[in-house]
Amino acid sequence: MFARGRGVYMALQSSCFRVSSQLRSQLAAKVSGARYYSAPSGIPSAKRKYVPTSGTYPRGFKVSGTIVGVKPKNTTKPDLAFITSDTPCAAAAVFTKNKFQAAPVTFSRALLQGQKNSGVRGVLINSGCANAVTGKGGLEDAEAMGREADKSLGADKATIVMSTGVIGQRLPIQKILDNVPKAYQGLGDTHKHWLTCATAICTTDTFPKLISKTFSLPSSPSVEYRIAGTTKGAGMIHPNMATLLGVIATDAPISPAVIPPILKYAADRSFNSITIDGDTSTNDTVALLANGAAGGQEVTSEDSADFKAFRDVVTDFATDLAKLIIRDGEGATKFVTIRVTESSSEEGARKIASTIARSPLVKTALYGKDANWGRILCATGYALVSEPGNPVNEVEEIVPEKTNVSFVPTDGSPELKLLVDGEPEIVDEARAAQILEHEDLEILVKLGTGKKEATYWTCDYSHEYITINGDYRT
């Protein structure tokens, strides 16, 4: 049987020489009985709509993406991103809470603390190797990346660094350092430069994630401010935070004193409200840089109208970036909003939404287009139960007789009620199947115990998720 299968495969390979290498790998895998993941060579047609064809980028920032070959087999994709400002920036960053924090996280946190969130000129990011759990040598590599970038910028202690990729492997540091001058020479401020930069930080991402917008502030309504950002992430995604990196840059004048609380507020409602698989990485970093190049009145007080307005701009912007990560979830076919309302506390609502969002049973049912709302209710019911030996102060968040569960369609049609005040509805399975055919879906849980709410964004689990992660290092 094997010989016959092998013969069929060879005949197919001979007659279909124009078939892509990815498809040939899949055919070979079927013959051998194994499945291997091959990253797409181009952006899938369904994802192209998320890649901008133009943008409006903040003044005073220049970026580049350079091919280094961090992974030896990479000879075509940029894998070193350099984001710079002509002038020093106020800057802040939020980092992973994983106890095994990567060397770039340790280095960048210390730099920002030492500089008191000021004087930052650049961010240097490599993909292909996480530089995580690499000991003293890994920290020296991170420091070397920062120094080399500073040398190009003519600055000192002005560059934070990030890395993403496989954990437990040392960087090919000399290869990176030798290409930093090339990355500096390639800096520019066009849309092409920004898109290449966004591509350079991708790993299993199927498309580069880039957004830019304009906005104004109450004190300077005539000034057009600009904000742009890029992020990466497709798997190992869960607060706090996830295998994601992100950089947001703006030409608005924000003081170093107020930029950290702005970013933390935004991150909690965006990057810390998404999950793909429930795993929190070692490298997560999201940075916010503001160089003030557009002029206007500097935002210096948390009590000012400008502070609140800018905080909302950054929060909405970060949310849009975070949603792109979910839309590119490894193997995902659905973008799912989990909204928990009428809770007695926001903390409880977030915990319930998070539990539903990371339930493998819920996620596989969504992939199978199965309106199995019992799985949603089950996840809701255990979300706040304390673990043995780890008691918590349980609040009466969930009362079965007050709980409601619905599917909310994205086409504007009425919600499909599944559970009303603890009583099951007679579900129109045909309509449920129709709703689940859509790429976007909202699951609404009303607890009936208060007025607080929380929202999470997630995706489904498909066969491809297993394939990608079973073959990640090869």
Side-chain angles (χ1 to χ4, degrees), residues 267-287:
D268 284 345
R269 289 155 181 79
S270 56
F271 295 110
N272 280 333
S273 292
I274 61 174
T275 183
I276 287 176
D277 47 24
D279 277 315
T280 298
S281 174
T282 55
N283 288 60
D284 318 328
T285 306
V286 174

Side-chain angles (χ1 to χ4, degrees), residues 192-234:
K192 183 177 180 179
H193 284 94
W194 277 90
L195 193 60
T196 304
C197 178
T199 302
I201 67 175
C202 292
T203 50
T204 58
D205 307 64
T206 65
F207 67 92
K209 300 162 183 65
L210 174 66
I211 300 176
S212 64
K213 293 182 179 180
T214 62
F215 64 97
S216 62
L217 294 175
S219 67
S220 309
S222 61
V223 178
E224 179 192 75
Y225 294 111
R226 301 175 182 181
I227 186 169
T230 180
T231 188
K232 65 82 52 182

Side-chain angles (χ1 to χ4, degrees), residues 194-364:
W194 277 90
L195 193 60
T196 304
C197 178
T199 302
I201 67 175
C202 292
T203 50
T204 58
D205 307 64
T206 65
F207 67 92
K209 300 162 183 65
L210 174 66
I211 300 176
S212 64
K213 293 182 179 180
T214 62
F215 64 97
S216 62
L217 294 175
S219 67
S220 309
S222 61
V223 178
E224 179 192 75
Y225 294 111
R226 301 175 182 181
I227 186 169
T230 180
T231 188
K232 65 82 52 182
M236 202 183 281
I237 300 293
H238 189 68
N240 286 294
M241 292 176 296
T243 300
L244 65 88
L245 301 180
V247 179
I248 300 172
T250 181
D251 53 18
I254 313 298
S255 78
V258 302
I259 200 166
I262 287 172
L263 181 59
K264 184 181 184 306
Y265 180 95
D268 284 345
R269 289 155 181 79
S270 56
F271 295 110
N272 280 333
S273 292
I274 61 174
T275 183
I276 287 176
D277 47 24
D279 277 315
T280 298
S281 174
T282 55
N283 288 60
D284 318 328
T285 306
V286 174
L288 172 62
L289 282 66
N291 66 7
Q297 183 176 316
E298 185 180 31
V299 181
T300 59
S301 171
E302 293 187 38
D303 296 325
S304 68
D306 279 356
F307 175 89
K308 294 180 177 63
F310 182 68
R311 185 187 65 186
D312 290 345
V313 167
V314 175
T315 300
D316 291 344
F317 188 85
T319 299
D320 289 343
L321 277 176
K323 287 180 178 180
L324 289 179
I325 292 173
I326 296 300
R327 292 197 178 279
D328 200 22
E330 290 173 343
T333 67
K334 294 193 182 302
F335 176 89
V336 186
T337 301
I338 312 288
R339 195 154 61 93
V340 177
T341 66
E342 298 179 7
S343 173
S344 60
S345 74
E346 182 178 345
E347 181 183 4
R350 283 181 62 82
K351 181 67 173 176
I352 293 167
S354 170
T355 303
I356 297 169
R358 70 175 186 270
S359 164
L361 291 179
V362 171
K363 294 159 82 70
T364 50

Side-chain angles (χ1 to χ4, degrees), residues 53-245:
T53 57
S54 63
T56 305
Y57 299 101
R59 302 163 185 84
F61 284 95
K62 294 184 178 68
V63 303
S64 67
T66 305
I67 300 172
V68 170
V70 173
K71 284 188 173 182
K73 64 182 179 181
N74 173 43
T75 58
T76 59
K77 173 191 169 296
D79 53 1
L80 184 68
F82 201 8
I83 300 167
T84 70
S85 173
D86 296 339
T87 56
C89 298
V94 288
F95 301 98
T96 179
K97 292 185 179 179
N98 193 305
K99 292 298 183 182
F100 290 94
Q101 297 188 348
V105 170
T106 301
F107 170 78
S108 297
R109 178 189 286 112
L111 186 146
L112 288 170
Q113 290 175 345
Q115 296 295 95
K116 297 181 179 179
N117 298 103
S118 64
V120 173
R121 289 282 308 280
V123 183
L124 187 66
I125 310 170
N126 77 270
S127 61
C129 178
N131 191 12
V133 198
T134 46
K136 182 180 177 181
L139 185 57
E140 291 172 350
D141 290 344
E143 292 170 347
M145 286 176 62
R147 283 197 307 271
E148 193 64 30
D150 284 346
K151 190 186 303 182
S152 292
L153 294 171
D156 181 46
K157 296 181 179 179
T159 304
I160 62 175
V161 301
M162 305 180 192
S163 298
T164 182
V166 177
I167 294 170
Q169 297 180 0
R170 288 287 297 275
L171 287 170
I173 188 61
Q174 198 56 50
K175 192 183 291 188
I176 292 174
L177 299 182
D178 289 346
N179 278 279
V180 170
K182 182 179 178 182
Y184 177 77
Q185 292 298 322
L187 291 170
D189 58 7
T190 68
H191 174 69
K192 183 177 180 179
H193 284 94
W194 277 90
L195 193 60
T196 304
C197 178
T199 302
I201 67 175
C202 292
T203 50
T204 58
D205 307 64
T206 65
F207 67 92
K209 300 162 183 65
L210 174 66
I211 300 176
S212 64
K213 293 182 179 180
T214 62
F215 64 97
S216 62
L217 294 175
S219 67
S220 309
S222 61
V223 178
E224 179 192 75
Y225 294 111
R226 301 175 182 181
I227 186 169
T230 180
T231 188
K232 65 82 52 182
M236 202 183 281
I237 300 293
H238 189 68
N240 286 294
M241 292 176 296
T243 300
L244 65 88
L245 301 180

Side-chain angles (χ1 to χ4, degrees), residues 385-394:
V385 175
S386 60
E387 297 179 1
N390 185 29
V392 297
N393 295 321
E394 295 186 21

